[in-house]
Amino acid sequence: MGETQLGRRRMLQGLAAVAASGMVGGLTGCSGASGADAVTAWSYRPEYRAAIDKIVAAFIKANPEVKVDMGFKPSAQYPTLLKTALVGESAPDAIATNGANGIWGDMGADGGYILPLDGKVQLQSLRPAVAKAVQYRGHTYGSPVQIFKIGVYYQRQIFAKYGLTPPKTWDDLLRTSRTLASRGVTAWSMPAQDMIMPSFMYHLAASSILDTAGYEDLRTGKRKLTDPDLLPAAQLLIDLSRYYNRGYQAVAYAEGKALFAQGRTAMIVGGSSDYAGFVEVNPKLDVGFFGFPTPENTGPNIAITGLSMAYVVNKASKHADLAATFVSWLSSAEAQQLVLDNLGLPARQGMTPQGSGPRSQLMNTILQVRDNPSWLDHPDTGNVTAALAKGGAGIFSGKLTAAQFAKVAQEAVKPMPES
């Protein structure tokens, strides 16, 4: 899901690694240089090669004294390849992280493999949720390249046909689902075989209650997902289940997304990069995007906003200063515009897509939805999705009550002391 699609190792800690299409080795031709004095870098998304080549070329044009050799590794093998290279002290100078766990995980700051970038990344220019994601234990470790936002996609033609508008409350959401069902329309794609998508709907619902301040309280143990006012988030999954696609408990994640892309369902929880996959299946697809509503319209709708890709500097680099110059530039306005126009959502605030086509219009809509932090971006809440994938499916079979489901989620939260 995004980018989605949502930070792939994190698709079972958030979303598992995207399968890459074959090994892509070697260096990009865009750097125009190689050698002992060049900054070496790795990316884990071979399918992003053309876009990343443009970004690297723009950096070299702006910084001709710094050369960059960019290598591409298959996404599915990237964690293993990177870990082997780090242990063997053969990792590149600049490293793409597969989500935020590359900042704080055992291949990041916790493993002692990356350098702080304090004062080198323009944190004040970044979306606040993402600025927090690249900071850990009082230091800045990464420069964000691409983010994801998760909300709800909807079929514009179906909504127009039945006079529907994006919901602003939970009651609106239920009413919209009920109206669609009464007209013979399947309201939701909700593939629940691996519980990834239901866990993200729960994440959205709980976040619409907590908001940003409440999430910080969750991280420090002041709030719990089992608090009485948060139990309705789990109950909402149950209440909406009558409107999910037929046989949803046995439907795989990719199959559920295909149902929506084919126009067979009206809504789906999705990430910003899912749009590319939808239109690949159905080039004529006409979809909109709305943030998840708050329970009683207590504020604007929200989207989960998190880190899809950042770059960090290898602590063992012999060109750390040059690598830091390259890495920090990636969150500059010039680089972030290239990200938005060629890759996905930028981490920097105030960016606007160029052009007026359907993709540009949709990306602009998504960017306007109010950010709420992704639980995947922080070690204290980063395991909730995996816990629900393993132990949460009973909410749909009646084996788990809403309170028991929330308990499964809460047991995966490991509050950390306030920094």
Side-chain angles (χ1 to χ4, degrees):
M1 238 177 244
E3 240 127 52
T4 102
Q5 269 40 355
L6 272 181
R8 298 314 172 204
R9 177 183 175 228
R10 311 184 311 169
M11 281 269 301
L12 275 189
Q13 192 195 45
L15 287 166
V18 195
S21 52
M23 171 73 73
V24 180
L27 305 176
T28 66
C30 72
S31 70
S34 62
D37 59 347
V39 171
T40 56
W42 279 5
S43 172
Y44 63 90
R45 299 293 294 269
E47 66 271 29
Y48 284 180
R49 182 173 188 141
I52 291 176
D53 278 358
K54 288 182 182 180
I55 294 168
V56 173
F59 168 77
I60 292 172
K61 183 177 180 180
N63 301 270
E65 73 284 2
V66 184
K67 308 305 177 186
V68 178
D69 284 337
M70 178 68 72
F72 292 83
K73 305 299 177 184
S75 299
Q77 286 80 45
Y78 187 71
T80 300
L81 292 171
L82 180 57
K83 182 67 172 181
T84 300
L86 287 168
V87 172
E89 298 186 353
S90 59
D93 303 307
I95 301 166
T97 72
N98 195 350
N101 56 19
I103 303 292
W104 46 260
D106 61 0
M107 287 189 282
D110 283 346
Y113 288 115
I114 61 177
L115 288 173
L117 297 172
D118 299 331
K120 296 178 180 179
V121 179
Q122 298 175 5
L123 296 174
Q124 71 280 3
S125 299
L126 303 177
R127 290 178 172 268
V130 182
K132 281 184 173 288
V134 296
Q135 297 176 78
Y136 183 57
R137 293 184 174 173
H139 295 285
T140 300
Y141 282 101
S143 179
V145 177
Q146 182 184 4
I147 68 169
F148 63 83
K149 296 188 74 164
I150 302 172
V152 180
Y153 285 96
Y154 67 98
Q155 306 280 0
R156 287 159 52 92
Q157 292 182 5
I158 292 176
F159 268 52
K161 181 177 181 179
Y162 298 113
L164 301 172
T165 57
K168 293 184 178 180
T169 68
W170 287 11
D171 282 346
D172 287 347
L173 194 65
L174 286 160
R175 189 178 304 110
T176 296
S177 302
R178 189 162 52 247
T179 297
L180 289 166
S182 71
R183 303 301 178 89
V185 177
T186 301
W188 290 94
S189 274
M190 185 53 69
Q193 185 183 78
D194 56 14
M195 285 298 291
I196 290 171
M197 198 169 290
S199 74
F200 277 101
M201 179 177 273
Y202 172 67
H203 185 165
L204 282 161
S207 294
S208 75
I209 300 170
L210 285 166
D211 212 349
T212 300
Y215 172 64
E216 292 303 318
D217 288 342
L218 180 67
R219 293 183 63 198
T220 57
K222 295 177 182 177
R223 291 279 265 141
K224 297 183 185 302
L225 295 171
T226 50
D227 288 347
D229 67 320
L230 283 167
L231 294 183
Q235 184 62 44
L236 186 64
L237 290 181
I238 299 171
D239 294 344
L240 285 169
S241 64
R242 69 188 69 182
Y243 308 117
Y244 298 162
N245 55 283
R246 185 185 301 272
Y248 66 93
Q249 294 181 64
V251 173
Y253 181 73
E255 183 183 348
K257 293 204 294 185
L259 286 173
F260 178 78
Q262 293 161 2
R264 295 166 62 186
T265 61
M267 293 178 284
I268 189 171
V269 171
S272 41
S273 69
D274 283 333
Y275 176 70
F278 292 152
V279 296
E280 186 175 341
V281 172
N282 180 6
K284 296 182 179 180
L285 191 69
D286 181 14
V287 298
F289 182 97
F290 61 85
F292 204 83
T294 55
E296 297 179 354
N297 197 17
T298 54
N301 290 18
I302 67 156
I304 297 167
T305 302
L307 185 62
S308 180
M309 178 191 290
Y311 267 82
V312 297
V313 175
N314 182 357
K315 191 174 182 178
S317 171
K318 295 180 181 179
H319 308 100
D321 288 343
L322 294 180
T325 298
F326 169 60
V327 166
S328 61
W329 180 87
L330 292 171
S331 57
S332 69
E334 180 182 3
Q336 290 289 288
Q337 188 66 55
L338 288 167
V339 168
L340 178 53
D341 294 335
N342 297 280
L343 203 57
L345 293 185
R348 194 178 180 93
Q349 299 184 84
M351 309 302 296
T352 303
Q354 295 181 347
S356 57
R359 178 191 178 276
S360 293
Q361 292 180 32
L362 184 65
M363 292 301 108
N364 193 50
T365 295
I366 295 173
L367 284 169
Q368 303 310 310
V369 179
R370 183 165 62 105
D371 294 343
N372 217 270
S374 169
W375 296 354
L376 297 170
D377 279 353
H378 302 279
D380 25 31
T381 55
N383 289 316
V384 172
T385 297
L388 292 176
K390 183 178 180 180
I395 192 171
F396 296 129
S397 64
K399 292 181 179 179
L400 293 179
T401 64
Q404 290 168 330
F405 180 88
K407 183 179 179 182
V408 172
Q410 178 58 40
E411 287 176 348
V413 177
K414 306 300 180 186
M416 299 181 69
E418 294 182 80
S419 58

